[in-house]
């Protein structure tokens, strides 16, 4: 871009005055410039393929994705296997915990709906707290690949514990509950170590760092955009997650027709396949070495900023030197700019726990709701698979049709807007779930006490509402994930500095843990006849959260492209001051307050 600006200066910055007069910037007459010069200049201003676009071209040309590297597909397969195991084992959890053995609905532990909802929320909470552990180990000590390998071994131990304690002989001797809790803790530790690292690892396989011009076979000139490529990578990543999550179809059928041990054997075998792929594909992965004490330094720098009234610039070595600070700063100024950018990204995640409470309803209370409806021979926990099927169908539609169309007509459907749509769609899902629950409470034979009245035949006759009525709620949850969850992963990666990608990703995943904690707090309300109000309350909370989220953060849409600019020498965070217009500390007069970041 600088070269084009220089050319403009050398051409005297001439302006064209209507009527054919040509004047320089001082107003003096100059000789007319022949038309062919303007035509030649226009031709020269067109950037060749492979070069960076001009600012004008960035706004006029369509942005498209680059080709994805093979290593990214390999990581996607590994994630598919891990998610197959995770959702395959967690799918039957609600029935396994809630119901007793040999009842109309499969079960093992007989702890009731509130107990089952509380334990499943605990499992979700634990699975999304542990990514912090995996992120610290990866960023400081082992690197992403080695961390994934070691935590996969932990994961396997947890799967074996769950499998063994779900055998009929174990259940008969009272090992079921203790074995389940032990397995939840071990598996949660294993999945946490994997999740915080596999998400950034797949995006790191793509090495493009700048926008370039490309001419398609149709003759259309487009911009190959790394940001759009990362968006597509996470769409495919999430697609693989949901293909893997279809394992719950198989495990719920195994639970119904054989027993829970068979339902847990299948995920164990599939995870072993994924582990083999991880080991066999080692030489193909692009990895970043660990950065030593990066996390410790980051927290120390944030502490310095906190004690200086939120002024993160106070943690810069140049600031300490200029103002005679007492803190030791074993980092450079750029490191502080990276932290400031990471903090800007993390602000966006604050509202996500509300969304995850909404999302988690399909993992527990929707299953219990289906158990009170007419099933016509299908397992009550098979309906949850409508969600991944929705995502599998709609991701290609969004990736190949809707998003490209919006870009082509000049509508930039940027991350903050997508996340807002996710919240609002989730709110619609909860509103619909409240309507379904209202229908159940108004249906015979037990009305607002499903399966608990004398007319239910000892809990064998559900209320007269077909389970298919639940379908739109799952569809809406699936669409909301495409908007909110996928974009959250993308945002966590693109806004994180290179040395802290696993850690920032773990911060995003931590919001799921907070959502599960809220779910645990709400679990006492997950009982008849309070469920209509519980779903309605969640709908209102998600709607308000989405609206407030937009009002606070829509300004980040305006700086999205600047924040996503990747330097030529790899992915280097751009200083916040270059994006938001905030001045550096040296530009402030003594006593003048700096804005907080």
């Amino acid at each position: 871009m600088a070269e084009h600006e220089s050319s403009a200066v050398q051409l005297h910055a001439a302006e064209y005055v209507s009527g054919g007069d040509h004047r320089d910037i001082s107003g003096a007459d100059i000789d007319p410039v022949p038309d062919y010069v303007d035509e030649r200049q226009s031709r020269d201003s067109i950037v060749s393929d492979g070069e960076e676009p001009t600012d004008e071209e960035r706004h006029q040309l369509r942005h498209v994705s680059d080709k994805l590297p093979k290593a990214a597909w390999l990581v996607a397969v590994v994630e598919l296997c891990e998610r197959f195991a995770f959702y395959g084992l967690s799918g039957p959890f609600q029935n396994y915990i809630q119901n007793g053995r040999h009842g109309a609905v499969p079960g093992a532990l007989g702890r009731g709906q509130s107990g089952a909802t509380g334990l499943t929320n605990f499992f979700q909470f634990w699975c999304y707290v542990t990514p912090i552990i995996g992120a610290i180990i990866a960023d400081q000590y082992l690197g992403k690949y080695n961390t994934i390998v070691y935590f996969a071994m932990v994961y396997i131990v947890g799967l074996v514990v769950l499998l063994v304690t779900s055998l009929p002989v174990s259940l008969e001797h009272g090992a079921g509950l203790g074995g389940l809790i032990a397995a939840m803790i071990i598996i949660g530790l294993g999945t946490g170590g994997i999740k915080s690292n596999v998400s950034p690892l797949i995006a790191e396989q793509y090495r493009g760092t700048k926008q370039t011009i490309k001419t398609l076979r149709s003759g259309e000139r487009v911009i190959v955009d790394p940001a759009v490529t990362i968006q597509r990578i996470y769409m495919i990543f999430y697609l693989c997650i949901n293909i893997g999550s279809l394992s719950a179809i198989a495990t719920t059928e195994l639970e119904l027709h054989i027993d829970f041990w068979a339902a847990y054997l299948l995920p164990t075998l599939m995870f072993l396949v994924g582990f083999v792929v991880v080991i066999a594909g080692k030489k193909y992965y692009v990895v970043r070495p660990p950065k030593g004490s990066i996390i410790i330094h980051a927290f120390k720098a944030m502490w310095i900023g906190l004690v200086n009234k939120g002024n993160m610039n106070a943690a810069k070595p140049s600031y300490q030197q200029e103002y005679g600070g007492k803190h030791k700063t074993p980092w450079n100024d750029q490191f502080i700019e990276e932290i400031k950018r990471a903090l800007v990204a993390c602000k966006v995640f604050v509202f996500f726990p509300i969304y995850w409470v909404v999302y988690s309803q399909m993992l527990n209370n929707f299953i219990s709701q289906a158990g009170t409806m007419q099933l016509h021979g299908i397992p009550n926990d098979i309906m949850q698979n409508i969600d991944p099927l929705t995502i599998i169908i709609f991701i290609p539609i969004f990736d190949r049709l809707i998003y490209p169309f919006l870009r082509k007509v000049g509508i930039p459907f940027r991350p903050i807007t997508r996340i807002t749509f996710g919240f609002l769609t989730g709110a619609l899902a909860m509103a619909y779930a409240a309507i379904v629950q209202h229908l159940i409470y108004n249906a015979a034979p037990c009305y607002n006490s499903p399966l608990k009245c004398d007319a239910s035949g000892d809990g064998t006759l559900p209320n007269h509402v077909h389970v298919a009525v639940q379908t739109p709620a799952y569809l809406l949850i699936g669409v909301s994930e495409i908007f909110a969850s996928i974009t959250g992963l993308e945002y966590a990666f693109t806004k994180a500095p290179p040395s802290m990608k696993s850690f920032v990703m773990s911060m995003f995943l931590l919001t799921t843990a907070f959502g599960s904690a809220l779910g645990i707090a709400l679990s006492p309300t997950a009982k008849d006849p309070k469920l209509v109000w519980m779903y309605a309350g969640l709908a209102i909370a998600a709607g308000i959260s989405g609206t407030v989220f937009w009002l606070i953060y829509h300004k980040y849409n305006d700086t999205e492209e600047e924040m996503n600019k990747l330097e030529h020498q790899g992915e280097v965070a751009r200083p916040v001051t270059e994006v938001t217009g905030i001045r550096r500390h040296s530009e402030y007069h003594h006593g003048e307050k700096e804005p907080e970041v």
Side-chain angles (χ1 to χ4, degrees), residues 228-341:
V228 176
T229 306
I230 296 298
Q231 179 181 334
R232 171 162 291 175
I233 284 174
Y234 279 113
M235 294 281 273
I236 292 171
F237 181 74
Y238 212 76
L239 180 67
C240 289
I241 287 174
N242 283 276
I243 291 174
S245 71
L246 291 176
S247 60
I249 296 176
T251 56
T252 52
E253 287 289 338
L254 289 169
E255 150 206 336
L256 178 64
H257 297 292
I258 302 179
D259 205 347
F260 285 97
W261 66 265
Y264 296 140
L265 175 61
L266 181 61
T268 303
L269 295 175
M270 190 63 174
F271 188 86
L272 292 173
V273 172
F275 185 68
V276 170
V277 174
V278 170
I279 301 299
K282 180 179 180 179
K283 64 181 180 180
Y284 299 106
Y285 301 127
V286 176
V287 296
R288 293 182 182 275
K291 297 294 185 179
S293 302
I294 191 74
I295 305 299
I296 296 173
H297 288 168
F299 276 104
K300 182 179 178 181
M302 286 188 284
W303 172 253
I304 294 173
L306 183 63
V307 297
N308 283 272
K309 300 180 179 180
N311 178 18
M312 282 299 300
N313 283 327
K316 289 183 177 181
S318 60
Y319 187 103
Q320 291 291 312
Q321 183 177 4
E322 181 176 349
Y323 294 104
K326 60 182 179 180
H327 298 285
K328 294 182 179 179
T329 53
W331 49 72
N332 56 26
D333 285 4
Q334 178 62 24
F335 178 69
I336 302 304
E337 293 293 345
E338 291 180 349
I339 294 177
K340 289 165 67 177
R341 181 184 175 192

Side-chain angles (χ1 to χ4, degrees), residues 40 133 154 240 352 478 566:
R40 183 183 62 195
I133 301 172
V154 174
C240 289
F352 266 88
L566 304 177

Side-chain angles (χ1 to χ4, degrees), residues 463-525:
N463 285 13
H464 297 162
V465 180
H466 199 293
V467 72
V469 175
Q470 275 193 322
T471 301
Y474 285 106
L475 289 171
L476 289 167
I477 288 288
V479 174
S480 78
E481 285 183 74
I482 294 175
F483 288 134
S485 184
I486 296 177
T487 308
L489 291 170
E490 172 195 334
Y491 209 83
F493 179 82
T494 57
K495 304 304 178 291
S499 58
M500 298 177 65
K501 290 194 179 293
S502 289
F503 187 74
V504 174
M505 186 66 70
S506 74
M507 291 294 101
F508 173 67
L509 297 174
L510 184 63
T511 63
T512 307
F514 289 137
S516 296
L518 290 175
I520 293 171
L522 287 172
S523 61
T525 66

